Amino acid sequence: MASMDVPAGGRDAAKAASPATSAARVPGKQYMSWLTLAFMTTSSVASLRAAPSMAVYGLAAVFLYVVPAIVFLIPTALVSAELASGWNGGVYRWVSEGLSKPMGFLAVWCQFAMTIFYYPSLLAYVASTFAYIIDPRLASNGLYVAIVIVVLFWTGVWVSSRGTKAVAGLASGGLIIGTLIPGAVLVILGFVFLGQGNASAAPMNASHILPQWTGLASLVLIVNNFLSYSGMEMNAVHVSSLRNPDKEFPKSMFTAMGLVLLIFILPALAVSWVVPAHDLSLTAGVIQAFDAFFSYFNVGWLTPVFGVMLVAAALGGMLTWLAGPSKGLLLISRQEGYLPPFLQALNRFGVQQNILVAQGVVTTVIALLYAFIPNVSSAYWIFSVITTQIYLIVYLLMFAAAIRLRKTQPDHPRGYRAPALHVLCVVGLLSSLAALVIGFVPSSQFGGGSVLAYVGIVTAGLLLLGLLVPYLFYTLRKPSWRQHVDEDPAEAGVDA
């Protein structure tokens, strides 16, 4: 989930309505270059928000990003490309065809449910960043963070429920203004800072390439980075737009992976150079680094400017995500009758307002936990882990479906066939399953909080919203919940 800040490609799933062919070129068809797809993927995956959580580990951040890229990002990208080139409609269609419709519903539900925890963690980052514009002391004030989350989320619900089309512009502009420019400035300032002879706040020698081993808690760091690469399966829908998918898609994905790693790693290192680990806030670390650099270079007045840029990007990303997953859930539920009529209702703008409001109630309850958990960084970390846990269910189902589809429908037309699919799926399954299990172990990022409380909150979040709620919806559904819809979920792009 970006990091999951500005996903691209989900809403374009409908454009991939037919499988691609790697050899033939369709007359009149608009093709995309592999480099364009690489940039699209980079823009939808990369984000600065995760930099502080890895910056506390200094040079070891490189290792903590590269390992998940190898065991998770590569399998996800290549496997989802094969599925997208053969079956339009995103993860619901893939899992429904490969496993069953109930499992497909679980997959698309988890895509929606993980956003319930994603928004509080994203808006906590916004609140802490904005605090540096008005009063830095507020960044660690749980009540302030909770109030900002609630106000901004409900404002977003109101904007989304109006059916405004200005949201898309906010997202694309936010990428450049709030991610690419600040990221480049942060890294440049970092190199200049070190080049002038200043010592790095974090050790940068060879003995610190690997993170300090503290048992299972050390593995949790890698787990949280899995979600940093989420969104690859959404961009896979564009494989049909390449002239030669077999050759160009891997080239595009490996290029994107290199760019994503640079965007993740270099800003994290820059933050670690100027902000000591014991002073670093997981929510406000990026703006802390800008404040330290700008103060050093005597341009402190730029801190609020960059704070506004970071906030604008995050809010644009939130608005983009807010209506997307819920729309996919709505379309499937109206066709299959998975949700009660109340949640399927549309307002006069054609927006699924009741789903957004129900989501807002749950998000508000979660946000209020920030007021009761003493350490804002600990709360941020907990919700980030729950988000990862729920989304990992989607990937477990996707890899399992890919294996079964290759076995049960070997001759189904595919524009791209992933090399060594079974090996990729097994690696993806094992790494996702290991990440799911390890996620219940609190890392050092959790601070000195109760381990039992941590495990309880993560378990409750995963079981309640990730499994129990969709199970109840499915078992309690009634035939009358089905509605005639003109739009097929498979054609609408349910990953939006």
Side-chain angles (χ1 to χ4, degrees):
M1 289 182 246
S3 167
M4 297 164 53
D5 288 343
V6 187
R11 293 181 179 175
D12 294 326
K15 297 179 182 178
S18 60
T21 56
S22 59
R25 296 184 180 181
V26 181
K29 180 176 179 178
Q30 296 295 316
Y31 288 99
M32 170 190 303
S33 73
W34 67 268
L35 192 58
T36 298
L37 180 57
F39 288 149
M40 286 176 60
T41 303
T42 301
S43 67
S44 66
V45 174
S47 170
L48 297 180
R49 189 166 62 92
S53 61
M54 291 299 105
V56 296
Y57 297 96
L59 193 58
V62 178
F63 174 84
L64 295 172
Y65 273 121
V66 170
V67 171
I70 295 172
V71 301
F72 180 75
L73 173 59
I74 294 176
T76 298
L78 299 184
V79 171
S80 61
E82 171 166 330
L83 294 173
S85 69
W87 294 268
N88 59 291
V91 71
Y92 172 76
R93 174 77 181 277
W94 306 341
V95 177
S96 295
E97 291 273 351
L99 302 178
S100 67
K101 282 191 174 183
M103 290 296 100
F105 172 61
L106 176 61
V108 78
W109 169 268
C110 286
Q111 279 195 324
F112 164 74
M114 70 90 184
T115 64
I116 294 175
F117 291 96
Y118 166 69
Y119 296 129
S121 60
L122 171 66
L123 294 177
Y125 162 79
V126 171
S128 297
T129 300
F130 188 70
Y132 269 76
I133 301 174
I134 52 178
D135 184 355
R137 292 174 297 180
L138 290 174
S140 58
N141 186 307
L143 181 59
Y144 157 78
V145 172
I147 292 173
V148 172
I149 292 174
V150 171
V151 171
L152 290 181
F153 184 83
W154 282 104
T155 301
V157 168
W158 180 79
V159 172
S160 296
S161 67
R162 305 285 294 178
T164 178
K165 295 183 179 180
V167 173
L170 288 173
S172 56
L175 168 69
I176 299 173
I177 297 174
T179 300
L180 299 182
I181 293 177
V185 171
L186 188 65
V187 173
I188 292 171
L189 290 176
F191 280 118
V192 173
F193 177 79
L194 295 181
Q196 292 186 350
N198 295 287
S200 169
M204 287 290 128
N205 51 50
S207 62
H208 290 83
I209 292 178
L210 298 178
Q212 185 177 1
W213 179 253
T214 58
L216 284 176
S218 297
L219 297 178
V220 181
L221 302 173
I222 298 177
V223 171
N224 198 53
N225 280 345
F226 275 52
L227 194 63
S228 297
Y229 299 120
S230 65
M232 299 299 290
E233 77 283 0
M234 296 180 184
N235 287 281
V237 301
H238 296 294
V239 69
S240 306
S241 299
L242 297 174
R243 293 183 181 276
N244 190 343
D246 284 346
K247 294 182 179 179
E248 294 182 342
F249 188 80
K251 187 189 300 184
S252 175
M253 287 302 100
F254 283 108
T255 300
M257 186 176 77
L259 293 173
V260 167
L261 286 174
L262 288 176
I263 293 174
F264 277 142
I265 292 171
L266 292 181
L269 292 178
V271 172
S272 73
W273 294 337
V274 72
V275 183
H278 57 81
D279 294 330
L280 188 63
S281 165
L282 297 188
T283 54
V286 175
I287 197 66
Q288 276 184 305
F290 276 118
D291 188 45
F293 280 134
F294 289 147
S295 296
Y296 173 79
F297 290 107
N298 297 315
V299 286
W301 57 271
L302 282 175
T303 298
V305 175
F306 274 74
V308 170
M309 292 167 66
L310 294 172
V311 166
L315 291 179
M318 183 199 78
L319 289 173
T320 302
W321 267 95
L322 194 56
S326 59
K327 181 182 179 182
L329 179 65
L330 171 81
L331 292 173
I332 292 166
S333 298
R334 297 186 84 192
Q335 185 183 63
E336 302 293 338
Y338 290 136
L339 295 180
F342 172 77
L343 291 177
Q344 296 183 31
L346 304 176
N347 66 9
R348 64 190 180 93
F349 297 103
V351 176
Q352 58 282 6
Q353 181 172 295
N354 290 351
I355 292 181
L356 293 177
V357 170
Q359 182 181 15
V361 172
V362 179
T363 300
T364 299
V365 173
I366 295 172
L368 292 177
L369 292 176
Y370 275 91
F372 298 103
I373 298 178
N375 189 327
V376 171
S377 289
S378 293
Y380 175 86
W381 183 261
I382 289 174
F383 296 136
S384 295
V385 170
I386 294 175
T387 301
T388 305
Q389 298 288 79
I390 292 177
Y391 210 15
L392 283 171
I393 296 175
V394 178
Y395 291 110
L396 288 171
L397 294 172
M398 185 189 81
F399 288 124
I403 292 176
R404 195 159 186 274
L405 283 170
R406 182 68 79 89
K407 181 180 180 180
T408 59
Q409 301 184 40
D411 299 324
H412 183 88
R414 295 163 170 85
Y416 171 78
R417 284 182 175 267
L421 177 83
H422 284 76
V423 174
L424 290 171
C425 288
V426 169
V427 171
L429 276 169
L430 292 178
S431 59
S432 297
L433 185 60
L436 192 68
V437 173
I438 294 170
F440 290 101
V441 181
S443 78
S444 56
Q445 304 262 24
F446 181 56
S450 167
V451 174
L452 187 61
Y454 174 91
V455 174
I457 294 174
V458 172
T459 302
L462 175 62
L463 294 180
L464 181 61
L465 281 175
L467 298 175
L468 180 59
V469 173
Y471 173 78
L472 291 176
F473 277 134
Y474 184 78
T475 56
L476 297 176
R477 74 192 189 285
K478 300 176 181 179
S480 61
W481 291 5
R482 287 174 177 262
Q483 298 188 29
H484 174 74
V485 290
D486 295 327
E487 191 171 19
D488 184 345
E491 300 296 330
V494 298
D495 288 343

Short mmCIF file of all heavy atoms in Angstrom, two decimals, residues 98-127:
data_model
loop_
_atom_site.label_atom_id
_atom_site.label_comp_id
_atom_site.label_asym_id
_atom_site.label_seq_id
_atom_site.Cartn_x
_atom_site.Cartn_y
_atom_site.Cartn_z
N GLY A 98 -10.20 -19.48 -10.42
CA GLY A 98 -9.22 -20.46 -9.96
C GLY A 98 -9.66 -21.26 -8.75
O GLY A 98 -9.32 -22.44 -8.63
N LEU A 99 -10.39 -20.63 -7.84
CA LEU A 99 -10.79 -21.30 -6.61
C LEU A 99 -12.31 -21.41 -6.51
O LEU A 99 -12.87 -22.47 -6.71
CB LEU A 99 -10.21 -20.56 -5.40
CG LEU A 99 -8.67 -20.43 -5.36
CD1 LEU A 99 -8.23 -19.63 -4.14
CD2 LEU A 99 -8.01 -21.80 -5.39
N SER A 100 -12.98 -20.32 -6.21
CA SER A 100 -14.44 -20.31 -6.10
C SER A 100 -14.92 -18.88 -5.95
O SER A 100 -14.14 -17.99 -5.59
CB SER A 100 -14.90 -21.13 -4.89
OG SER A 100 -14.50 -20.51 -3.68
N LYS A 101 -16.21 -18.66 -6.18
CA LYS A 101 -16.76 -17.32 -6.02
C LYS A 101 -16.69 -16.83 -4.57
O LYS A 101 -16.40 -15.65 -4.34
CB LYS A 101 -18.20 -17.27 -6.53
CG LYS A 101 -18.30 -17.20 -8.05
CD LYS A 101 -19.71 -16.89 -8.50
CE LYS A 101 -19.75 -16.68 -10.02
NZ LYS A 101 -21.10 -16.30 -10.50
N PRO A 102 -16.96 -17.68 -3.56
CA PRO A 102 -16.81 -17.21 -2.18
C PRO A 102 -15.39 -16.73 -1.89
O PRO A 102 -15.19 -15.73 -1.20
CB PRO A 102 -17.17 -18.44 -1.34
CG PRO A 102 -18.10 -19.22 -2.21
CD PRO A 102 -17.59 -19.02 -3.61
N MET A 103 -14.39 -17.45 -2.41
CA MET A 103 -13.00 -17.03 -2.20
C MET A 103 -12.73 -15.72 -2.96
O MET A 103 -11.96 -14.87 -2.51
CB MET A 103 -12.05 -18.11 -2.67
CG MET A 103 -12.04 -19.36 -1.80
SD MET A 103 -11.43 -19.06 -0.10
CE MET A 103 -12.99 -18.95 0.79
N GLY A 104 -13.37 -15.57 -4.13
CA GLY A 104 -13.24 -14.32 -4.86
C GLY A 104 -13.81 -13.16 -4.08
O GLY A 104 -13.24 -12.06 -4.05
N PHE A 105 -14.95 -13.39 -3.42
CA PHE A 105 -15.54 -12.35 -2.58
C PHE A 105 -14.61 -12.02 -1.41
O PHE A 105 -14.42 -10.85 -1.07
CB PHE A 105 -16.90 -12.81 -2.04
CG PHE A 105 -17.50 -11.89 -1.02
CD1 PHE A 105 -17.80 -10.57 -1.34
CD2 PHE A 105 -17.74 -12.33 0.28
CE1 PHE A 105 -18.34 -9.71 -0.40
CE2 PHE A 105 -18.28 -11.48 1.23
CZ PHE A 105 -18.59 -10.17 0.90
N LEU A 106 -14.02 -13.05 -0.81
CA LEU A 106 -13.08 -12.81 0.29
C LEU A 106 -11.91 -11.95 -0.17
O LEU A 106 -11.48 -11.03 0.53
CB LEU A 106 -12.57 -14.14 0.85
CG LEU A 106 -11.51 -14.04 1.96
CD1 LEU A 106 -12.05 -13.30 3.17
CD2 LEU A 106 -11.01 -15.43 2.35
N ALA A 107 -11.40 -12.23 -1.37
CA ALA A 107 -10.27 -11.48 -1.89
C ALA A 107 -10.62 -10.00 -2.09
O ALA A 107 -9.88 -9.11 -1.66
CB ALA A 107 -9.79 -12.09 -3.21
N VAL A 108 -11.77 -9.76 -2.75
CA VAL A 108 -12.12 -8.36 -3.02
C VAL A 108 -12.54 -7.65 -1.72
O VAL A 108 -12.34 -6.44 -1.56
CB VAL A 108 -13.22 -8.27 -4.09
CG1 VAL A 108 -14.58 -8.58 -3.54
CG2 VAL A 108 -13.21 -6.90 -4.76
N TRP A 109 -13.11 -8.41 -0.77
CA TRP A 109 -13.43 -7.82 0.53
C TRP A 109 -12.16 -7.37 1.25
O TRP A 109 -12.11 -6.28 1.82
CB TRP A 109 -14.21 -8.81 1.40
CG TRP A 109 -14.32 -8.31 2.81
CD1 TRP A 109 -13.48 -8.57 3.86
CD2 TRP A 109 -15.31 -7.40 3.33
NE1 TRP A 109 -13.87 -7.89 4.99
CE2 TRP A 109 -14.99 -7.16 4.69
CE3 TRP A 109 -16.41 -6.77 2.77
CZ2 TRP A 109 -15.76 -6.32 5.49
CZ3 TRP A 109 -17.18 -5.93 3.56
CH2 TRP A 109 -16.84 -5.71 4.91
N CYS A 110 -11.14 -8.22 1.23
CA CYS A 110 -9.89 -7.87 1.93
C CYS A 110 -9.22 -6.67 1.29
O CYS A 110 -8.60 -5.86 1.98
CB CYS A 110 -8.95 -9.07 1.96
SG CYS A 110 -9.44 -10.36 3.12
N GLN A 111 -9.36 -6.53 -0.04
CA GLN A 111 -8.84 -5.32 -0.68
C GLN A 111 -9.54 -4.08 -0.14
O GLN A 111 -8.92 -3.02 0.02
CB GLN A 111 -9.03 -5.40 -2.19
CG GLN A 111 -7.99 -6.21 -2.92
CD GLN A 111 -8.01 -5.97 -4.41
OE1 GLN A 111 -9.07 -5.78 -5.00
NE2 GLN A 111 -6.85 -5.97 -5.04
N PHE A 112 -10.83 -4.22 0.12
CA PHE A 112 -11.59 -3.10 0.68
C PHE A 112 -11.29 -2.92 2.17
O PHE A 112 -11.05 -1.81 2.63
CB PHE A 112 -13.09 -3.36 0.47
CG PHE A 112 -13.99 -2.49 1.32
CD1 PHE A 112 -14.16 -1.15 1.02
CD2 PHE A 112 -14.62 -3.01 2.43
CE1 PHE A 112 -14.97 -0.34 1.80
CE2 PHE A 112 -15.44 -2.22 3.23
CZ PHE A 112 -15.61 -0.87 2.91
N ALA A 113 -11.29 -4.02 2.92
CA ALA A 113 -11.15 -3.95 4.38
C ALA A 113 -9.80 -3.40 4.81
O ALA A 113 -9.70 -2.70 5.82
CB ALA A 113 -11.39 -5.32 5.00
N MET A 114 -8.76 -3.72 4.04
CA MET A 114 -7.44 -3.24 4.47
C MET A 114 -7.37 -1.72 4.44
O MET A 114 -6.60 -1.11 5.18
CB MET A 114 -6.34 -3.87 3.62
CG MET A 114 -6.26 -3.40 2.20
SD MET A 114 -5.17 -1.97 1.99
CE MET A 114 -5.40 -1.63 0.24
N THR A 115 -8.21 -1.07 3.61
CA THR A 115 -8.19 0.39 3.57
C THR A 115 -8.73 0.99 4.86
O THR A 115 -8.42 2.13 5.19
CB THR A 115 -9.00 0.93 2.38
OG1 THR A 115 -10.39 0.57 2.55
CG2 THR A 115 -8.51 0.38 1.06
N ILE A 116 -9.54 0.22 5.60
CA ILE A 116 -10.10 0.73 6.85
C ILE A 116 -8.97 1.03 7.85
O ILE A 116 -9.05 1.98 8.63
CB ILE A 116 -11.11 -0.27 7.44
CG1 ILE A 116 -12.32 -0.37 6.50
CG2 ILE A 116 -11.56 0.14 8.84
CD1 ILE A 116 -13.33 -1.42 6.92
N PHE A 117 -7.91 0.22 7.82
CA PHE A 117 -6.76 0.47 8.69
C PHE A 117 -5.72 1.35 7.99
O PHE A 117 -4.91 1.99 8.66
CB PHE A 117 -6.12 -0.86 9.10
CG PHE A 117 -6.98 -1.66 10.03
CD1 PHE A 117 -7.81 -2.66 9.55
CD2 PHE A 117 -6.99 -1.41 11.40
CE1 PHE A 117 -8.62 -3.39 10.39
CE2 PHE A 117 -7.79 -2.13 12.26
CZ PHE A 117 -8.62 -3.13 11.75
N TYR A 118 -5.77 1.33 6.68
CA TYR A 118 -4.83 2.14 5.92
C TYR A 118 -5.07 3.63 6.14
O TYR A 118 -4.13 4.41 6.33
CB TYR A 118 -4.95 1.79 4.44
CG TYR A 118 -4.28 2.76 3.50
CD1 TYR A 118 -2.90 2.87 3.45
CD2 TYR A 118 -5.05 3.58 2.66
CE1 TYR A 118 -2.29 3.76 2.58
CE2 TYR A 118 -4.44 4.47 1.79
CZ TYR A 118 -3.06 4.55 1.75
OH TYR A 118 -2.45 5.43 0.90
N TYR A 119 -6.34 4.04 6.14
CA TYR A 119 -6.64 5.47 6.28
C TYR A 119 -6.17 6.06 7.61
O TYR A 119 -5.59 7.15 7.63
CB TYR A 119 -8.14 5.72 6.08
CG TYR A 119 -8.63 5.39 4.70
CD1 TYR A 119 -9.73 4.58 4.50
CD2 TYR A 119 -7.98 5.88 3.57
CE1 TYR A 119 -10.17 4.26 3.22
CE2 TYR A 119 -8.41 5.57 2.29
CZ TYR A 119 -9.50 4.76 2.13
OH TYR A 119 -9.93 4.44 0.87
N PRO A 120 -6.41 5.39 8.76
CA PRO A 120 -5.89 5.96 10.01
C PRO A 120 -4.38 6.14 10.01
O PRO A 120 -3.86 7.15 10.49
CB PRO A 120 -6.34 4.94 11.06
CG PRO A 120 -7.57 4.33 10.49
CD PRO A 120 -7.30 4.24 9.02
N SER A 121 -3.64 5.15 9.46
CA SER A 121 -2.19 5.28 9.45
C SER A 121 -1.75 6.37 8.48
O SER A 121 -0.83 7.14 8.78
CB SER A 121 -1.52 3.95 9.09
OG SER A 121 -1.91 3.51 7.81
N LEU A 122 -2.42 6.47 7.33
CA LEU A 122 -2.08 7.53 6.37
C LEU A 122 -2.38 8.90 6.94
O LEU A 122 -1.55 9.82 6.86
CB LEU A 122 -2.88 7.32 5.08
CG LEU A 122 -2.80 8.46 4.05
CD1 LEU A 122 -1.39 8.60 3.51
CD2 LEU A 122 -3.80 8.24 2.91
N LEU A 123 -3.55 9.06 7.56
CA LEU A 123 -3.93 10.36 8.09
C LEU A 123 -3.16 10.71 9.36
O LEU A 123 -3.02 11.89 9.69
CB LEU A 123 -5.44 10.41 8.34
CG LEU A 123 -6.28 10.32 7.05
CD1 LEU A 123 -7.76 10.30 7.38
CD2 LEU A 123 -5.97 11.49 6.13
N ALA A 124 -2.65 9.70 10.07
CA ALA A 124 -1.76 9.99 11.20
C ALA A 124 -0.47 10.63 10.69
O ALA A 124 0.10 11.54 11.32
CB ALA A 124 -1.45 8.70 11.97
N TYR A 125 -0.01 10.15 9.55
CA TYR A 125 1.16 10.75 8.89
C TYR A 125 0.85 12.19 8.50
O TYR A 125 1.67 13.09 8.69
CB TYR A 125 1.52 9.90 7.67
CG TYR A 125 2.39 10.56 6.64
CD1 TYR A 125 3.77 10.68 6.82
CD2 TYR A 125 1.84 11.05 5.45
CE1 TYR A 125 4.57 11.28 5.86
CE2 TYR A 125 2.64 11.64 4.48
CZ TYR A 125 4.00 11.75 4.69
OH TYR A 125 4.79 12.34 3.73
N VAL A 126 -0.35 12.43 7.96
CA VAL A 126 -0.75 13.79 7.59
C VAL A 126 -0.81 14.69 8.82
O VAL A 126 -0.31 15.81 8.81
CB VAL A 126 -2.14 13.77 6.91
CG1 VAL A 126 -2.68 15.18 6.73
CG2 VAL A 126 -2.05 13.06 5.57
N ALA A 127 -1.41 14.16 9.91
CA ALA A 127 -1.54 14.96 11.14
C ALA A 127 -0.18 15.35 11.71
O ALA A 127 0.04 16.50 12.11
CB ALA A 127 -2.34 14.17 12.18
#
